[in-house]
Amino acid sequence: MPESAWRAVSSAPASSHIDFAGSPRPTLGVEWEFALVDSETRDVSNVATEVIEELGENNPRVHKELLRNTVEIVTGVCDSVPEAMDDLRATLATAHAIVRGRGMDLFCAGTHPFAKWSPEILTDAPRYAELIKRTQWWGRQMLIWGVHVHVGISSAHKVMAINTSLLNHYPHLLALSASSPYWDGEDTGYASNRAMMFQQLPTAGLPFHFYTWAEWEGFVADQKKTGIIDHMNEIRWDIRPSPHLGTIEVRIFDGVSNIRELSALVALTHCLIVDLDRRLDAGERLPTMPPWHVQENKWRAARYGLDAVIILDEDSNERLVTDDLDDLLNRLEPVAKSLKCADELAMVSDICRLGASYQRQRRVAEDTDGDLRAVVDSLVGELEV
């Protein structure tokens, strides 16, 4: 059946101009997705609608998502990592009490160790129904959770240069956050199975290498004219512009189980983007790598996590990701101090030292003779409210 059979494509010319709101300072916003899990069975519980109603349907800090087992907690516009974490804690405390009162817990990782998809878990909304209608089997497998971080950018002309250069640090961010080794009751052998699964959606995965806002505008116009998207937010790249907010949105991360690690990852993201922004202001041409290196780095980080040997530059030099992180954190210390997140940035080293989530989950499974319910227990227990 031709693609045109599932929807009519407008023949009207698409406008190429996209306004970028811009941010006068490098603001922060964080979106944190949680699954609801039954306190006894540890399987997912599909009552997010009821939980959100109790939290307040018009509560700007709480959103629905694709799945009815998912509640997303978001911040307002923040100026620092500590402010963003305080914002999240306030909403999280209320949500946690409501969820516990209903015999459930909040759970966050890239995937659930043993849950299975079923038609009953889909949120009732036309855009979600259309997504499943189009993507079929792959769309039905999106039983996944993540974290998104927004950083404010002052003007459109900086966005794509930063977006593309940030890809050099893609494997660092994914390896640190990797928390999805299990799928449907089995160890996949990957640190982040979520990263591999999510890119199967037609507009998801790595962004194209663009350097100017005009290139981005032309791309979006092409996507709309050919019927690939109706709205810009249907471009689900791992790093993407968010024009109406005036931000770059980083969507690389697997779900994060606790606020300490979240604060470290948000601090690293904030520092990386602000550093690139300042280097642009200083007249520097930002470093990039060929797309094939970026693609390989994503796979290596997803497969091996903190044991990944990554490609560093266009000259194909390589290094263990944790060794490169040591130097990166030292270089970013002055940026972190100026952004008031030096303590949080320093916590990145703790993830490398103590183990990322995918490593902790495997240790729990090994210690409990493969009991994946115990893995859920451990992840639930890491969330301090």
Side-chain angles (χ1 to χ4, degrees):
M1 181 182 293
E3 186 74 9
S4 58
W6 64 265
R7 93 171 177 223
V9 177
S10 171
S11 59
S15 171
S16 62
H17 179 69
I18 300 172
D19 288 323
F20 184 77
S23 174
R25 60 194 192 282
T27 54
L28 263 181
V30 182
E31 304 169 3
W32 195 2
E33 295 175 347
F34 290 92
L36 305 174
V37 295
D38 186 272
S39 59
E40 298 294 330
T41 68
R42 287 316 196 195
D43 204 349
V44 293
S45 185
N46 302 312
V47 293
T49 300
E50 292 88 334
V51 170
I52 290 171
E53 285 177 355
E54 196 166 345
L55 283 164
E57 279 283 3
N58 298 317
N59 186 339
R61 296 293 194 267
V62 183
H63 295 165
K64 295 178 181 177
E65 279 295 323
L66 171 68
L67 304 177
R68 287 198 292 118
N69 56 45
T70 301
V71 173
E72 183 182 61
I73 294 174
V74 305
T75 68
V77 178
C78 300
D79 286 314
S80 69
V81 176
E83 181 185 348
M85 296 305 108
D86 287 344
D87 192 326
L88 288 171
R89 283 191 187 93
T91 308
L92 190 58
T94 303
H96 198 262
I98 290 171
V99 168
R100 280 285 180 87
R102 291 175 170 268
M104 296 174 295
D105 284 297
L106 293 172
F107 163 95
C108 190
T111 57
H112 186 283
F114 60 83
K116 297 180 183 291
W117 190 90
S118 72
E120 288 73 33
I121 68 174
L122 193 68
T123 297
D124 184 18
R127 67 190 181 104
Y128 295 140
E130 181 62 30
L131 173 66
I132 299 301
K133 178 182 177 183
R134 184 182 186 198
T135 59
Q136 292 296 300
W137 189 90
W138 278 114
R140 293 194 295 270
Q141 302 311 303
M142 294 298 127
L143 197 60
I144 57 177
W145 298 271
V147 167
H148 303 163
V149 180
H150 291 261
V151 177
I153 305 297
S154 60
S155 64
H157 81 270
K158 294 181 174 182
V159 171
M160 298 317 301
I162 295 173
N163 208 78
T164 299
S165 187
L166 188 60
L167 290 169
N168 287 21
H169 299 294
Y170 189 111
H172 307 73
L173 299 174
L174 180 58
L176 287 164
S177 72
S179 64
S180 51
Y182 296 104
W183 180 255
D184 196 14
E186 295 188 17
D187 191 323
T188 65
Y190 280 74
S192 175
N193 190 51
R194 180 206 63 89
M196 296 290 94
M197 295 193 65
F198 188 60
Q199 69 183 9
Q200 303 306 319
L201 296 183
T203 60
L206 292 168
F208 294 108
H209 281 45
F210 294 143
Y211 301 96
T212 68
W213 191 250
E215 289 177 302
W216 162 253
E217 290 174 324
F219 168 78
V220 173
D222 288 345
Q223 294 277 292
K224 288 182 176 180
K225 185 174 181 180
T226 55
I228 297 170
I229 64 170
D230 287 324
H231 305 286
M232 209 176 338
N233 62 8
E234 293 171 15
I235 298 171
R236 300 180 176 92
W237 287 348
D238 297 333
I239 311 172
R240 68 181 183 182
S242 188
H244 69 291
L245 296 175
T247 65
I248 288 176
E249 181 184 6
V250 178
R251 300 155 51 87
I252 295 169
F253 307 109
D254 272 9
V256 180
S257 61
N258 63 86
I259 206 156
R260 181 179 175 85
E261 284 185 338
L262 181 66
S263 66
L265 293 168
V266 174
L268 179 55
T269 306
H270 201 196
C271 290
L272 282 170
I273 291 178
V274 170
D275 178 58
L276 291 171
D277 193 323
R278 291 175 180 176
R279 288 159 70 181
L280 271 182
D281 284 344
E284 183 178 338
R285 180 173 175 80
L286 300 184
T288 61
M289 283 194 293
W292 47 90
H293 283 354
V294 173
Q295 185 177 38
E296 174 65 11
N297 273 345
K298 176 178 180 177
W299 183 85
R300 291 184 188 187
R303 171 66 177 88
Y304 300 109
L306 292 175
D307 292 319
V309 175
I310 62 169
I311 304 167
L312 297 177
D313 51 40
E314 60 186 0
D315 293 326
S316 302
N317 294 303
E318 295 175 288
R319 195 181 191 192
L320 182 66
V321 66
T322 48
D323 289 343
D324 200 56
L325 272 165
D326 287 341
D327 288 348
L328 179 62
L329 295 177
N330 287 333
R331 185 174 67 78
L332 291 175
E333 277 183 7
V335 181
K337 288 178 181 177
S338 71
L339 295 174
K340 298 180 173 57
C341 64
D343 290 343
E344 290 79 8
L345 183 69
M347 292 176 192
V348 172
S349 296
D350 293 341
I351 301 175
C352 300
R353 180 171 54 86
L354 301 174
S357 179
Y358 74 93
Q359 295 169 315
R360 301 196 301 272
Q361 290 179 50
R362 284 180 171 143
R363 285 200 294 265
V364 170
E366 184 177 353
D367 292 344
T368 59
D369 196 26
D371 184 357
L372 296 183
R373 285 175 175 78
V375 174
V376 177
D377 284 342
S378 69
L379 289 162
V380 168
E382 288 184 7
L383 183 63
E384 297 178 4
V385 179

